[in-house]
Amino acid sequence: ALSSNSALVAAIESYRAANEKAGYELKFVYEDGTTVVDMADVPTSDRTITAVSTIITYTVTYMSNGEVLTGLNPASYTVETLAADRVLPLLDNTSAKTFAGWYDNEEFSGESVTAIPEDATGDKTYYAKWETVVIPVTKYTITFEGTAYKVVEDNALSSNSALVAAIESYRA
């Protein structure tokens, strides 16, 4: 039996140091379930104190263009979450933008992130990077010479049948 409050506090702190693990909260509770809040207030009278380790659930936040995206999974994780359940979602491309991956910073520096790392702890925020879809524009020059015409695409003769058909339709 421990003879003083300071000896009990030292024993509890020693236990904490030896048993605390990342991703778990180690707390001490009395027999009635109340949490020992301040170790200095641990009574010296006969009371049972039990160490309770609980897994911590961390939140995952997804950002896109300054807005929080909701309804995406995983929305949370723990240190026990399986690797397959840590994979970040893919976003649908739009007509003007292509999803270019998730980043753990707003500047999109470094490598994109495809999954929450296995050794991760703490809340995470991921930022969606978008790239503008570049639609190549082809320049056509149409030269009419009497009833004849020629089509030049990028300074090379073209036989673009759709363009030729449109010209023929217009001339008819």
Side-chain angles (χ1 to χ4, degrees), residues 138-142 149-168:
T138 304
K139 180 179 176 183
Y140 293 97
T141 302
I142 304 169
Y149 63 89
K150 70 178 176 179
V151 178
V152 179
E153 173 188 346
D154 293 332
N155 299 324
L157 288 177
S158 172
S159 61
N160 185 314
S161 59
L163 181 60
V164 171
I167 293 170
E168 293 295 335

Side-chain angles (χ1 to χ4, degrees):
L2 297 171
S3 60
S4 73
N5 191 354
S6 60
L8 178 59
V9 170
I12 289 172
E13 292 306 327
S14 174
Y15 181 88
R16 179 189 307 279
N19 293 284
E20 209 161 38
K21 296 188 311 185
Y24 294 87
E25 179 184 26
L26 182 61
K27 61 183 176 180
F28 298 89
V29 296
Y30 295 112
E31 65 274 2
D32 64 2
T34 59
T35 301
V36 177
V37 177
D38 185 353
M39 291 301 164
D41 293 336
V42 172
T44 54
S45 61
D46 288 344
R47 289 206 64 190
T48 301
I49 297 175
T50 305
V52 178
S53 182
T54 56
I55 195 161
I56 300 170
T57 298
Y58 301 108
T59 301
V60 181
T61 303
Y62 299 96
M63 301 292 294
S64 178
N65 298 319
E67 302 284 327
V68 175
L69 300 178
T70 59
L72 298 178
N73 288 308
S76 63
Y77 75 100
T78 71
V79 293
E80 294 182 358
T81 300
L82 300 174
D85 296 327
R86 291 173 175 254
V87 176
L88 300 181
L90 296 176
L91 298 180
D92 293 333
N93 297 330
T94 69
S95 60
K97 303 270 185 184
T98 299
F99 176 63
W102 293 108
Y103 287 78
D104 60 6
N105 63 83
E106 293 180 80
E107 295 77 30
F108 309 116
S109 62
E111 297 291 320
S112 64
V113 180
T114 58
I116 301 166
E118 296 235 13
D119 61 348
T121 57
D123 294 339
K124 300 291 178 198
T125 300
Y126 294 105
Y127 301 87
K129 181 178 180 180
W130 296 95
E131 293 179 349
T132 302
V133 174
V134 177
I135 301 172
V137 176
T138 304
K139 180 179 176 183
Y140 293 97
T141 302
I142 304 169
T143 305
F144 291 92
E145 297 171 4
T147 59
Y149 63 89
K150 70 178 176 179
V151 178
V152 179
E153 173 188 346
D154 293 332
N155 299 324
L157 288 177
S158 172
S159 61
N160 185 314
S161 59
L163 181 60
V164 171
I167 293 170
E168 293 295 335
S169 173
Y170 175 76
R171 294 180 70 201

